[in-house]
Amino acid sequence: MSLFDSLVARSLPFVPRPIVGGVARRYIAGEGLDDAVRVLRGLNGKGLLATLDVLGEEVRRRDLADLAMAEYRGALRRLRDERLQSNISVKLTQLGLKLDTGFCLENLRALTAEARTLGNFVRIDMEDSSCTDATLEIYRRLRHEGFENVGVVLQACLRRTAADLRALPDGSNVRLCKGIYLEPRSIAYRDREIVRKNFARLLEALFDRRFFVGIATHDEWLVWEACRLIEDRRLPGDRLEFQMLLGVEEGLRQIIAGQGHRLRVYVPYGSHWYAYSLRRLKENPHIAGHVLRGMLGRKS
Ligand code: FDA
C-alpha cells in the first residue's frame, strides 16, 4: 500500500459522505428492495446465487429492530414471489443483540421460521468479538430447536475459532471468512499470512466435519487451496459454495463460476450504507485513493 493510500485509509471517516457514497456505489445494490431485486435478477441471469443483506447494525432501540425485521420479511416474500435464487444474511446487532439477547433470539427465531415456510435460509453474519459468544450461542440454540435453514460465520483471524468450530453441532452450515473487524492482538492474528494459513486449516476442519461450507474470500491463493482440497477429497458440489462480495474481484468470480462451482454474491442494500462502505473502502484504500487522486488532480 502506498503512503498516499494508507493516508487515505486513515482519513476516510473525514471524507464527505457524498464522496464516500460515490466510490462505494459498486459495493451496494442501492437504497431500496427494488434496486436489490434488479441486481439479483442480473446475478441469477449469469447463473450466480446471492445472499441479500439489509444494511444496518448496532440498533439501540427496539422499534429500529422491528423495522429491520419488517424489511427482511418483505424481502423474503419478494424473493419467493420473483423466484430469485437468494437467501438472506442478517446481523444480530440489527435484530437487537445489544439491547436484549432474548429479544434478539425471538426475532431471529421468527425470521428463520418464516424463511423455512418460504423454503429459504438465514445466514447469521459474524460481527466484532464482543458478539461472538452470543452469536454462536443463538445459532446453537436454533439448531437445537430443529431449524436446519440457519447458518453461521466463523472468522479465521480469531485465535479462538478452531475451538469454536469443534463446539458447533453436527450438520452445521458455516461461512468461513478472514474477519473484517480490527481486534486486539491478544485475541486475533494480525499477520496476514497467519490468517491465510489459519483459513486453510479451518477449511480442512470444516470439510472433515462434513459441514456445508461457504468459502468467503477473494484471495486467489485461498481459492486455489480450496479447489485443491475439493479435488483431492472429491467433495460433492452440493456441500459447498464460494461466496464473494458485490463489486469485488469480478474476474475471479467468473473464473470460479466458469469452473462449475456454486458461487454466491453478497448483495447489501438499504439506507444505512455509510458504515458498510467505510469498511469496504478501508479494505481497499487503493480504490478510494484513485478517486481522491482524480479529485485532487494527481497523476499517480
Ligand atoms: P483479502 O482482503 O486479502 O483480499 C483479496 C483480494 O481481494 C485483494 O487483494 C483485493 O484485490 C480484493 N479485495 C478485497 N476486498 C476488496 C474491496 N473491498 N474492494 C476491492 N477489492 C477487494 N467478515 C466478517 O467479519 N463477518 C462476516 O460475516 C463476513 N461476511 C462476509 C461474506 C462474504 C460473502 C465475503 C466475501 C466476505 C465477508 N466478510 C465478513 C469479509 C471478510 O472477512 C474479509 O474482510 C473480506 O472478504 C476480505 O478478505 P479476503 O479473504 O477477500 O482477502
Side-chain angles (χ1 to χ4, degrees), residues 26-27 51 124-127 153 155 175 177-181 192 199 216-220 222 243-245 247-249 264 266 279-281 283-284 287:
R26 58 184 283 187
Y27 301 121
T51 185
I124 312 170
D125 283 345
M126 185 58 82
E127 297 174 75
V153 176
Q155 296 158 322
R175 171 198 296 155
C177 66
K178 286 185 181 172
I180 199 171
Y181 301 91
R192 291 172 67 86
F199 190 115
T217 186
H218 321 92
D219 181 336
E220 191 159 0
L222 282 175
Q243 299 184 353
M244 297 175 78
L245 301 171
V248 179
E249 286 289 357
R264 190 176 298 278
Y266 189 99
R279 278 208 296 272
R280 294 276 85 83
L281 291 175
E283 265 183 313
N284 199 335
I287 292 177

Side-chain angles (χ1 to χ4, degrees), residues 2-293:
S2 76
L3 182 61
F4 184 72
D5 286 345
S6 95
L7 280 175
V8 168
R10 268 185 254 151
S11 55
L12 273 173
F14 308 103
V15 174
R17 283 169 78 100
I19 295 178
V20 173
V23 185
R25 204 166 285 148
R26 58 184 283 187
Y27 301 121
I28 293 163
E31 294 219 354
L33 183 55
D34 286 342
D35 301 315
V37 164
R38 214 170 300 124
V39 170
L40 295 185
R41 279 200 207 110
L43 292 168
N44 286 176
K46 292 181 192 152
L48 304 173
L49 307 168
T51 185
L52 198 58
D53 169 54
V54 178
L55 287 167
E57 53 202 295
E58 295 277 348
V59 302
R60 300 278 173 208
R61 294 195 335 246
R62 282 177 183 246
D63 59 322
L64 295 178
D66 295 343
L67 272 181
M69 284 290 289
E71 185 67 35
Y72 269 117
R73 285 197 158 107
L76 278 171
R77 283 192 294 271
R78 188 85 183 267
L79 294 176
R80 193 267 324 265
D81 292 348
E82 304 227 8
R83 297 171 187 266
L84 291 164
Q85 297 290 310
S86 176
N87 58 36
I88 57 171
S89 288
V90 301
K91 289 191 173 47
L92 291 190
T93 64
Q94 192 182 12
L95 303 189
L97 186 71
K98 292 279 173 81
L99 291 169
D100 173 357
T101 318
F103 170 66
C104 176
L105 172 63
E106 274 170 36
N107 278 338
L108 187 69
R109 186 188 286 122
L111 203 57
T112 310
E114 184 142 354
R116 183 165 64 185
T117 309
L118 296 167
N120 212 318
F121 175 89
V122 179
R123 170 79 55 197
I124 312 170
D125 283 345
M126 185 58 82
E127 297 174 75
D128 68 64
S129 59
S130 68
C131 304
T132 314
D133 281 331
T135 302
L136 292 172
E137 188 48 43
I138 286 176
Y139 167 72
R140 274 192 294 264
R141 177 87 178 258
L142 287 190
R143 294 296 297 205
H144 186 68
E145 290 176 14
F147 287 100
E148 292 187 351
N149 64 321
V150 61
V152 76
V153 176
L154 292 178
Q155 296 158 322
C157 68
L158 294 186
R159 296 175 194 271
R160 59 179 285 173
T161 297
D164 287 338
L165 192 161
R166 284 193 291 277
L168 289 179
D170 289 340
S172 278
N173 185 318
V174 176
R175 171 198 296 155
L176 180 63
C177 66
K178 286 185 181 172
I180 199 171
Y181 301 91
L182 187 63
E183 303 285 1
R185 187 176 177 201
S186 53
I187 61 164
Y189 303 110
R190 287 277 173 85
D191 183 316
R192 291 172 67 86
E193 275 312 302
I194 298 180
V195 174
R196 242 186 187 176
K197 286 185 181 150
N198 200 38
F199 190 115
R201 176 174 161 242
L202 292 164
L203 194 56
E204 285 209 64
L206 289 165
F207 289 148
D208 284 345
R209 288 209 57 192
R210 299 178 193 283
F211 289 168
F212 182 95
V213 188
I215 308 160
T217 186
H218 321 92
D219 181 336
E220 191 159 0
W221 185 83
L222 282 175
V223 170
W224 176 84
E225 178 66 12
C227 290
R228 186 186 70 76
L229 286 171
I230 293 163
E231 268 172 48
D232 287 358
R233 294 174 174 230
R234 295 177 196 213
L235 293 170
D238 61 355
R239 300 301 306 150
L240 59 99
E241 64 192 23
F242 286 87
Q243 299 184 353
M244 297 175 78
L245 301 171
L246 186 68
V248 179
E249 286 289 357
E250 289 175 18
L252 183 59
R253 187 168 96 183
Q254 281 315 114
I255 292 169
I256 298 170
Q259 289 172 348
H261 296 292
R262 279 162 62 111
L263 196 139
R264 190 176 298 278
V265 180
Y266 189 99
V267 178
Y269 80 96
S271 50
H272 298 282
W273 51 268
Y274 186 68
Y276 183 85
S277 307
L278 277 192
R279 278 208 296 272
R280 294 276 85 83
L281 291 175
K282 276 184 187 156
E283 265 183 313
N284 199 335
H286 184 66
I287 292 177
H290 188 63
V291 169
L292 288 187
R293 269 188 197 100

